[in-house]
Amino acid sequence: MLTILLSCIALGAFIGFMAGLLGIGGGVIAVPVLLYLLPKAGVAPEYLTHVAIATSLAAIILTSLSSARAHHSRGNIPWPLLKIMLPAFVIGALGAGFIAEMFSASALKQTFAVFVILMAIQMMFPVSPKAAERELPKAPYLFVAAMIIAVIAALMGIGGGILLIPFLCWCGTQMRQAIGFSSVTGLMIATFGSISYIIAGWGTIGLPDYMLGYIYLPALVGIVSTSMLMAPVGAKAASVWPTARLKRIFALMLILTGLKLVVS
């Protein structure tokens, strides 16, 4: 357990730094590394992907909370929109853990790998949508869209901003408000998604010690202990380092990681 804890402390530092430097979520980094580390903690292959995704999702909670507070202080969060979409985010995120139970670990891993490759391609060839001159869809359509985004995000162990921000900009929301709104919804998805993975994994036979449902607590503690500390360091480095070039290099690494997960 000590080896896993120390490894995840280092992983958390890297996640926090890269999040500040490149503006990326931690799940896309955490899940592949956890897929490598968790077998050393005794996580059986049939539960490996579920535990990696659940642990990654739980680690996002504190990061999202910090981001949401910062955006709230700047007035970037359109709270009336949250009243419409929040129930859908809760339902979608809570359902994700039980939906994941329908997939084998191998199928879930390959689905995540394909998602990582698509994210990396978008990172290499970024699309920065501007707010379109159109009104937001009616409440039922927003509800359905929010629920779909929450399910995908919680299934993949991410906060969901990469899906939500383009959608809101396409619907006419200003970019700063879309990003601020995404920080809050990321917190909701991570929180309720984690709860669903806790319930879905509760009492599962064959998991190692120190589990909370499908969440492996030593890895979670290690990641969150350093990720929030290093995010400001990464943000400061972003003003000096060539972030556009680094983002493309990192995206290429993600593509290779995704391809390896597909064929492994």
Side-chain angles (χ1 to χ4, degrees):
M1 185 188 73
L2 180 60
T3 301
I4 299 296
L5 178 62
L6 294 176
S7 298
C8 287
I9 288 173
L11 173 61
F14 180 70
I15 288 173
F17 182 79
M18 295 300 283
L21 179 66
L22 302 181
I24 60 174
V28 71
I29 302 173
V31 174
V33 177
L34 289 172
L35 287 172
Y36 171 76
L37 290 176
L38 289 172
K40 304 178 188 303
V43 178
E46 59 265 33
Y47 304 123
L48 177 59
T49 312
H50 298 76
V51 174
I53 289 175
T55 305
S56 168
L57 200 61
I60 292 172
I61 294 174
L62 288 179
T63 305
S64 297
L65 177 61
S66 176
S67 177
R69 290 179 62 185
H71 280 290
H72 173 66
S73 67
R74 293 176 173 84
N76 290 343
I77 301 173
W79 291 108
L81 184 59
L82 189 65
K83 292 180 182 178
I84 300 173
M85 302 178 75
L86 178 59
F89 286 123
V90 172
I91 293 170
L94 281 174
F98 303 101
I99 295 172
E101 287 278 84
M102 302 176 187
F103 292 86
S104 67
S106 176
L108 195 58
K109 181 177 72 172
Q110 292 189 347
T111 302
F112 174 81
V114 172
F115 185 78
V116 165
I117 292 171
L118 294 176
M119 286 181 62
I121 292 172
Q122 197 278 334
M123 193 181 297
M124 292 184 75
F125 306 100
V127 177
S128 300
K130 296 180 180 179
E133 295 183 0
R134 57 169 63 93
E135 295 181 355
L136 283 168
K138 294 185 182 299
Y141 298 105
L142 287 174
F143 186 92
V144 172
M147 190 159 58
I148 292 172
I149 289 171
V151 169
I152 295 173
L155 272 176
M156 298 296 101
I158 63 172
I162 195 170
L163 303 172
L164 182 62
I165 292 171
F167 170 74
L168 289 178
C169 288
W170 181 82
C171 291
T173 305
Q174 294 294 322
M175 176 63 81
R176 66 179 182 84
Q177 289 195 323
I179 294 173
F181 187 75
S182 175
S183 69
V184 177
T185 58
L187 174 61
M188 297 296 102
I189 291 171
T191 300
F192 288 99
S194 297
I195 291 172
S196 73
Y197 277 102
I198 290 172
I199 297 172
W202 195 268
T204 299
I205 299 174
L207 291 173
D209 295 333
Y210 310 109
M211 299 292 302
L212 184 62
Y214 279 128
I215 298 172
Y216 186 57
L217 294 177
L220 174 62
V221 171
I223 292 171
V224 300
S225 66
T226 52
S227 60
M228 293 184 66
L229 296 176
M230 291 302 295
V233 179
K236 186 176 181 179
S239 63
V240 180
W241 292 15
T243 54
R245 184 184 306 169
L246 289 171
K247 185 172 285 190
R248 290 189 178 93
I249 295 172
F250 181 73
L252 180 59
M253 292 172 57
L254 285 180
I255 290 174
L256 295 175
T257 300
L259 290 173
K260 184 177 180 181
L261 290 174
V262 168
V263 301
S264 64

